Amino acid sequence: MKAARHMASVVAALAMLAGARGAIFDFSAQYPAVTASFGGGVVSMSVFDEDRLMTKTLNVPSGTTFDLTTANGVVAWGSGSQVSYYVYNPTVGLWIGETGAWGPTASDLQTANGLVAWSTTAGTIYYRVYDRQRGAWKSGSAITGPASNLRIVDGTLAWSVSGPTGSAHARVYDPIKGAWESADVSGISVNAFVNTNGVVAFSSTATIPGRVYYFSYDPTRGGWQSGSQATGVPSDLHSNNGVIAWSVNPGVFFAVYDPARGLWAAGSEPASGYAADLVISNSVVLWNTANASYARAYNPLSATWSAGPAVRLAYFAVSTNGANAPLLVHFIDMSIGGLGWAWNFGDGFNSAARSPTHRYTNLAALVATETVTGSFGSSSTNKLIVTDVTGPTGTVNINAGASFTTNPAVTLALSATDNSGAIATMRFSNTGAAWSDWESYSVSRTWTLSAGDGTKTVYVQFADAATNISVNATDTIQLDTSPLPVVTVLNTNVAEGAGSAIVRVLLSTNFSRLISIHYATTNATATAGLDFTNVSGRLDFFPGTVVQSFAIPIVQDPLVEVNETISIVLSDPTNCIPGLPGTVTILSDDAPSVSFSATNFAVLEGVSNAAVGLQLSAASGQPVTIGVLATNGTATAGSDFIATNGFVTIPAGQTNGVFMVTILNDSVDELSETILLRVTAVTNAMPVSPTNAILTILDDDAPHVGFSQKLYSAFENAGFVAIEVRLSKPVTQQVEFDYLVFGGTATPGSSGDYEPQSQHRIFAAGVTNIVFFVNLVDNGVAENDETVHMSLSNITHADPGPNAEADIVIHDDDGPPLLIAPRWGTNRLFLATAQGRTGQVFTVYTSSNLTNWTPAFTLTNGTGSLDFSDSASSSLSKRFYRTSVP
């Protein structure tokens, strides 16, 4: 009685503990409240469509009907060899079913959880399920022999075949695969057979000493998970709440499928004694023996069996978690230890069903949560359900569609659409590989293009709330940050009787884009209407063009007057910088003179041709030919330019000509160089000053930065060393660099030989020399000479020169003085300087063979630097010197 009372107390304590089950499949119809009746040779089915708010009825002719059943929204019946099964699909608003003759007479027709199954006398098992996600009935069959124990429980179909060489079978429909999955064991003699809570278990007497088999389908691993134990033939086989338990005297054995680990967890009490009243109550195995009462429960956290209580594990699978809504999802519970199940589908809908089916209608990324509750609390788990898998589409437009920009900072116009109706975020890239962080979507954004001139592409990706990412949207633009050219009006002269003045407008350099500028004449000393006619217009310089011209009508009058001038003003520039106003001088009708239009011209080294202007004092009635010679100044013909001795013809009526000098580009860093220009011969005009001019080639190669020398030296008691960094030539922009004083054989620090340092320095525009100081430490220790290393780095707007690294040699002043500046005096008198510590006494040794040394004299270095002489050297063919301290 004591044992019985103990058992009763254990049962009472654990009665409310939750069950552990295998995967629970529920394919019930959306509307389970279906009615069906037979009469007059017709099966009539009816259901109320809650979406359409109407009753939907279907009449199907049938012969003699047996086994008419309506379970979980499925109607099924048999008629001789025929079997019919129907379900209402509210998505299309139709009853969908099948009728067929399946061989011999059908029997044992049953339906549960949306599954339909029956057997035939020929030993064939048929099974059907309506897949709501795919909108079709899915069929399967197996020829196994006459079925025993054919049952559908929790979406699992199982049966056995009797006999010494019998078999056991289980079927489940996997909504993830959209297929029936099979588990079969043949060649056994089936003893006990159970199908409950997603677990199929049976014992067999065919294999000595007897074996117990158990199966559970795991949709997360896509297959049946099986186990067995050779324990002998059990006298009792129990399966409840997913737990298998049996006894074979004197032991008790049990097992449960752990979905988190994907394995069967088996346990046993092999010597507990003869088990009485073996039961499974809410996942807990309970039994009595003559001496004790036992309780065993599985803990999925530690994967062990113990005296209890059972521990909850929330776990489930889904038929799909990614497709555009509307999306039907089967939720398949596989949890352990629950009394109740609560589902939050993430879209505002909930369910308390064990394995619900839910249709998502919104486009989003949602989190579905299952909460399993038991006697000792709850456990939750979740999965992401994506009901929007279509990415956005979008475009990007740079600077309102401009073809080029001079500024790397641009404005992006953005546009995107998505099937969800909303764009959440966007990100950007200049390469299509390295992306910016995601940011909120907007229709406008400033962006900086990658460095360097050329064609630039901006890549944009858009994402919706479900984090679907669009394909790359791109746009391109040409970035050109080169300096804008200056537009200059070439001053000219015109004879009063010439009729018109041709004004030439010159670019300072060739440009890669169209240049436009407006011009207009205005009074200077000449008067519009009396001396000339006002004109205005626009000049366009296409790439490759550096000179344009326009005409000013000149009015001839009978008055005697001095030369008069017209002013020409430039305005409204596009891609250029307007120069100062130009001047046209109206000359009297005397014979013209010719000269260079300026005394100095300039051209960038990278420009292939330099334009040199020539002008006449007045327009002539016949062509004027001018010979021009271009020769070496500081520039060298053949390497910097091509020497030219050519001619320029100024047509009749015009006053300006252009002489072209071919410029040769090189990569040598050098100062600007000059070409000498000279007018050599003139026809139909008189040469006047200036007949000589200079063309300056402006070097476009980057300057070099380096130390002024590779090796510096100083005595350690000097206190510091002045270090000079030089720029190879002056430039118009500042040059920056970092220097580092560290390394070598010397020891850094206040207790060492020098103070290490690093600093950022700047050459201002036009500056070519910078000096910094390295502090030395006089440590009072006699030692060998040591070195300190210096290096330049992070140079901007210049290149490192050959002396980008240098060293300082620190001479010791604590040992013997250093002999420097050896020299000869009169009468072969040897002179030298000893440099070292002030006040040091030292001895000068001499040798004729560098092997045997003899002291010559002892001196005192009173000032740190001491000159001495040796008259004995005048009588020797060779003599060597060194110093030593006492």
Side-chain angles (χ1 to χ4, degrees):
M1 293 298 294
K2 181 179 180 182
R5 285 195 300 271
H6 179 72
M7 171 61 76
S9 65
V10 171
V11 172
L14 300 177
M16 294 302 293
L17 290 180
R21 292 173 169 84
I24 305 301
F25 295 90
D26 192 348
F27 300 102
S28 299
Q30 183 173 342
Y31 300 141
V34 171
T35 62
S37 62
F38 174 73
V42 173
V43 174
S44 179
M45 296 165 280
S46 180
V47 68
F48 183 73
D49 189 326
E50 297 175 4
D51 294 331
R52 295 170 177 82
L53 299 178
M54 61 187 300
T55 300
K56 305 290 283 189
T57 301
L58 178 68
N59 296 319
V60 178
S62 177
T64 302
T65 299
F66 62 89
D67 294 336
L68 177 62
T69 179
T70 58
N72 307 114
V74 175
V75 180
W77 69 90
S79 180
S81 64
Q82 288 190 330
V83 174
S84 302
Y85 37 89
Y86 281 82
V87 69
Y88 183 71
N89 185 344
T91 303
V92 296
L94 297 173
W95 284 91
I96 298 175
E98 296 177 346
T99 298
W102 314 105
T105 303
S107 62
D108 202 9
L109 176 65
Q110 54 185 286
T111 178
N113 305 111
L115 274 61
V116 180
W118 69 92
S119 64
T120 68
T121 55
T124 301
I125 311 300
Y126 295 92
Y127 31 92
R128 303 289 187 266
V129 67
Y130 185 72
D131 188 330
R132 290 166 56 189
Q133 184 175 350
R134 295 170 176 83
W137 283 94
K138 297 293 185 177
S139 62
S141 63
I143 302 174
T144 62
S148 301
N149 308 308
L150 180 64
R151 291 291 182 272
I152 302 171
V153 181
D154 291 330
T156 300
L157 171 66
W159 70 94
S160 64
V161 178
S162 303
T165 58
S167 56
H169 309 273
R171 298 291 185 270
V172 70
Y173 182 74
D174 188 335
I176 301 173
K177 296 180 178 179
W180 286 92
E181 293 294 310
S182 304
D184 300 285
V185 179
S186 301
I188 61 174
S189 177
V190 178
N191 189 280
F193 188 90
V194 291
N195 173 17
T196 178
N197 305 132
V199 173
V200 176
F202 54 90
S203 61
S204 170
T205 60
T207 302
I208 302 300
R211 183 173 291 271
V212 175
Y213 299 84
Y214 30 87
F215 293 81
S216 179
Y217 188 78
D218 188 339
T220 66
R221 294 170 174 83
W224 284 94
Q225 308 299 313
S226 63
S228 67
Q229 295 186 53
T231 60
V233 179
S235 59
D236 49 357
L237 176 62
H238 300 271
S239 176
N240 191 18
N241 308 126
V243 175
I244 310 299
W246 65 96
S247 65
V248 178
N249 191 41
V252 175
F253 306 88
F254 31 86
V256 66
Y257 181 68
D258 186 332
R261 292 175 169 81
L263 52 81
W264 279 92
S268 66
E269 293 290 337
S272 65
Y274 175 76
D277 304 322
L278 176 64
V279 295
I280 301 172
S281 176
N282 294 311
S283 300
V284 181
V285 181
L286 304 168
W287 73 95
N288 288 324
T289 68
N291 299 316
S293 296
Y294 292 85
R296 293 294 180 264
Y298 180 67
N299 184 341
L301 302 180
S302 60
T304 59
W305 288 86
S306 62
V311 178
R312 294 158 310 286
L313 170 67
Y315 205 90
F316 68 95
V318 293
S319 59
T320 179
N321 62 357
N324 283 335
L327 175 64
L328 184 74
V329 179
H330 291 277
F331 291 89
I332 306 159
D333 178 62
M334 302 171 67
S335 59
I336 296 177
L339 287 172
W341 299 266
W343 296 85
N344 182 340
F345 299 122
D347 60 351
F349 291 91
N350 304 287
S351 175
R354 179 68 183 272
S355 294
T357 300
H358 181 64
R359 183 179 297 277
Y360 288 92
T361 58
N362 297 328
L363 294 166
L366 305 165
V367 176
T369 302
E370 179 193 32
T371 300
V372 178
T373 57
S375 299
F376 297 94
S378 62
S379 174
S380 297
T381 187
N382 55 55
K383 291 184 184 296
L384 180 67
I385 307 296
V386 180
T387 61
D388 180 3
V389 296
T390 301
T393 60
T395 61
V396 57
N397 188 273
I398 306 174
N399 282 0
S403 60
F404 71 90
T405 178
T406 60
N407 190 339
V410 295
T411 300
L412 306 181
L414 305 156
S415 175
T417 59
D418 186 64
N419 60 335
S420 67
I423 305 299
T425 55
M426 59 186 181
R427 64 178 182 174
F428 304 87
S429 174
N430 282 325
T431 63
W435 292 90
S436 67
D437 293 335
W438 287 102
E439 61 188 68
S440 297
Y441 171 71
S442 64
V443 297
S444 181
R445 170 72 150 81
T446 57
W447 181 251
T448 302
L449 304 174
S450 59
D453 292 351
T455 300
K456 304 296 179 182
T457 301
V458 176
Y459 301 81
V460 184
Q461 287 182 341
F462 304 96
D464 58 21
T467 68
N468 296 305
I469 299 175
S470 69
V471 298
N472 291 347
T474 63
D475 194 18
T476 60
I477 195 169
Q478 192 75 19
L479 176 62
D480 188 348
T481 58
S482 56
L484 296 178
V486 177
V487 183
T488 303
V489 177
L490 294 179
N491 296 335
T492 189
N493 303 324
V494 61
E496 185 180 38
S500 64
I502 304 301
V503 179
R504 292 182 177 244
V505 181
L506 180 69
L507 295 184
S508 61
T509 184
N510 191 6
F511 203 57
S512 60
R513 300 191 301 273
L514 175 66
I515 291 174
S516 298
I517 196 164
H518 287 77
Y519 65 88
T521 57
T522 184
N523 292 353
T525 58
T527 303
L530 296 178
D531 302 307
F532 69 99
T533 300
N534 266 329
V535 295
S536 61
R538 188 184 79 181
L539 297 176
D540 293 328
F541 295 82
F542 292 92
T545 302
V546 296
V547 178
Q548 288 285 23
S549 63
F550 63 91
I552 303 175
I554 303 300
V555 178
Q556 188 174 26
D557 59 45
L559 300 176
V560 177
E561 52 194 350
V562 297
N563 293 344
E564 299 172 302
T565 56
I566 306 168
S567 181
I568 302 169
V569 179
L570 301 176
S571 63
D572 298 329
T574 300
N575 297 325
C576 62
I577 299 172
L580 296 174
T583 301
V584 175
T585 301
I586 303 174
L587 304 175
S588 63
D589 294 336
D590 297 328
S593 59
V594 64
S595 65
F596 286 111
S597 61
T599 57
N600 290 279
F601 300 90
V603 64
L604 288 175
E605 183 183 41
V607 177
S608 56
N609 291 289
V612 176
L614 295 159
Q615 65 182 11
L616 298 178
S617 61
S620 174
Q622 55 187 331
V624 175
T625 301
I626 307 111
V628 179
L629 175 65
T631 60
N632 292 357
T634 58
T636 303
S639 60
D640 300 311
F641 71 103
I642 296 178
T644 306
N645 188 3
F647 294 88
V648 176
T649 299
I650 301 178
Q654 297 186 17
T655 59
N656 294 93
V658 176
F659 178 74
M660 304 302 291
V661 179
T662 300
I663 305 301
L664 301 178
N665 191 9
D666 58 41
S667 59
V668 178
D669 173 27
E670 54 195 350
L671 299 175
S672 297
E673 300 171 303
T674 59
I675 301 171
L676 301 181
L677 305 172
R678 181 163 57 90
V679 174
T680 58
V682 179
T683 58
N684 299 323
M686 293 294 294
V688 297
S689 180
T691 56
N692 292 284
I694 294 174
L695 172 60
T696 301
I697 302 174
L698 303 175
D699 183 54
D700 61 356
D701 297 300
H704 290 88
V705 177
F707 293 102
S708 61
Q709 57 195 64
K710 272 289 189 181
L711 195 65
Y712 298 82
S713 65
F715 277 86
E716 65 179 4
N717 64 347
F720 65 88
V721 182
I723 304 300
E724 182 181 20
V725 180
R726 293 178 179 175
L727 190 64
S728 60
K729 63 182 179 184
V731 291
T732 59
Q733 58 185 342
Q734 69 181 24
V735 174
E736 302 181 34
F737 68 93
D738 294 333
Y739 70 81
L740 174 66
V741 178
F742 188 78
T745 60
T747 301
S750 58
S751 61
D753 301 301
Y754 71 101
E755 295 291 345
Q757 59 174 303
S758 63
Q759 194 174 353
H760 182 75
R761 300 297 298 270
I762 297 175
F763 286 100
V767 175
T768 59
N769 295 75
I770 286 178
V771 175
F772 66 90
F773 298 91
V774 177
N775 294 325
L776 304 180
V777 178
D778 189 354
N779 55 19
V781 178
E783 54 192 347
N784 294 327
D785 292 347
E786 296 173 303
T787 61
V788 179
H789 190 66
M790 301 181 294
S791 61
L792 305 178
S793 63
N794 300 326
I795 300 170
T796 61
H797 302 132
D799 294 329
N803 287 358
E805 297 191 10
D807 291 284
I808 303 171
V809 178
I810 303 175
H811 298 299
D812 181 55
D813 67 339
D814 299 298
L818 180 69
L819 294 181
I820 60 174
R823 56 199 182 274
W824 289 109
T826 58
N827 298 321
R828 290 181 55 82
L829 177 65
F830 175 74
L831 305 173
T833 300
Q835 188 167 356
R837 181 166 51 84
T838 301
Q840 186 180 56
V841 178
F842 64 96
T843 301
V844 178
Y845 287 79
T846 62
S847 174
S848 61
N849 56 12
L850 292 176
T851 299
N852 299 316
W853 293 88
T854 302
F857 39 82
T858 297
L859 303 172
T860 299
N861 191 353
T863 63
S865 180
L866 173 67
D867 292 333
F868 68 89
S869 62
D870 182 13
S871 59
S873 60
S874 60
S875 61
L876 299 175
S877 59
K878 60 181 179 180
R879 191 169 174 89
F880 303 95
Y881 298 84
R882 71 181 185 187
T883 61
S884 177
V885 294

